[in-house]
């Protein structure tokens, strides 16, 4: 099995501007992905996303760094890197979200790369990749629903 990248394409009935806000602003991220998000969505901006109750010691906190912020076309960030490390190819995963106008809506192209480059042993690589496939298959439809809800007409 290839563990190089995870790619998804989603059709969203919202404008590219709305979709960009949903993928880049902490208040929208919290509605579809992590339980909490603190993020400065500008190139070089950093932040954290938290899965689980932020007050709990069991919460999983991941740091991320924005690589590209080009509204409303592209938002990209690195995450899954060791605390204190500067995220770079080889020590982090890269998520790139391209936002393309499509008719009266948007085509979102999602890609996560960097799994093999981490240098993980095969079993760790396979587990991380499978976990991320399951995670994105769960969260990306929630992104679509969040964007759609922002433009729902009465």
């Amino acid at each position: 099995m290839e563990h190089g990248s995870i790619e998804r394409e989603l059709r969203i009935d919202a404008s590219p501007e709305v979709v960009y806000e949903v993928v880049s602003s902490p208040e929208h991220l919290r509605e579809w992905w992590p339980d909490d998000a603190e993020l400065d969505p500008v190139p070089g901006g950093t932040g954290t996303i938290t899965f689980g109750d932020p007050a709990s010691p069991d919460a999983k906190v991941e740091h991320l760094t924005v690589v590209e912020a080009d509204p409303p076309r592209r938002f990209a960030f690195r995450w899954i890197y060791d605390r204190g490390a500067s995220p770079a190819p080889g020590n982090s995963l890269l998520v790139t979200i391209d936002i393309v106008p499509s008719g009266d809506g948007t085509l979102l192209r999602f890609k996560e790369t960097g799994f093999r480059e981490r240098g993980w042993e095969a079993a760790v690589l396979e587990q991380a990749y499978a976990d991320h496939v399951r995670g994105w298959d769960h969260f990306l439809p929630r992104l679509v629903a969040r964007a759609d809800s922002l433009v729902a007409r009465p």
Side-chain angles (χ1 to χ4, degrees), residues 100-115:
V100 181
S102 175
D104 60 354
T106 299
L107 186 65
L108 182 144
R109 291 189 178 114
F110 170 93
K111 185 173 188 177
E112 186 175 37
T113 59
F115 292 93

Side-chain angles (χ1 to χ4, degrees), residues 67-91:
V67 175
E68 200 172 342
D70 181 17
R73 291 178 281 283
R74 175 180 271 192
F75 188 71
F77 60 89
R78 288 198 168 277
W79 75 314
I80 313 296
Y81 51 89
D82 293 335
R83 189 180 190 109
S86 293
N91 75 353

Side-chain angles (χ1 to χ4, degrees), residues 7 47 83 85-86 117-118:
E7 296 182 47
R83 189 180 190 109
S86 293
E117 293 80 357
R118 289 297 311 260

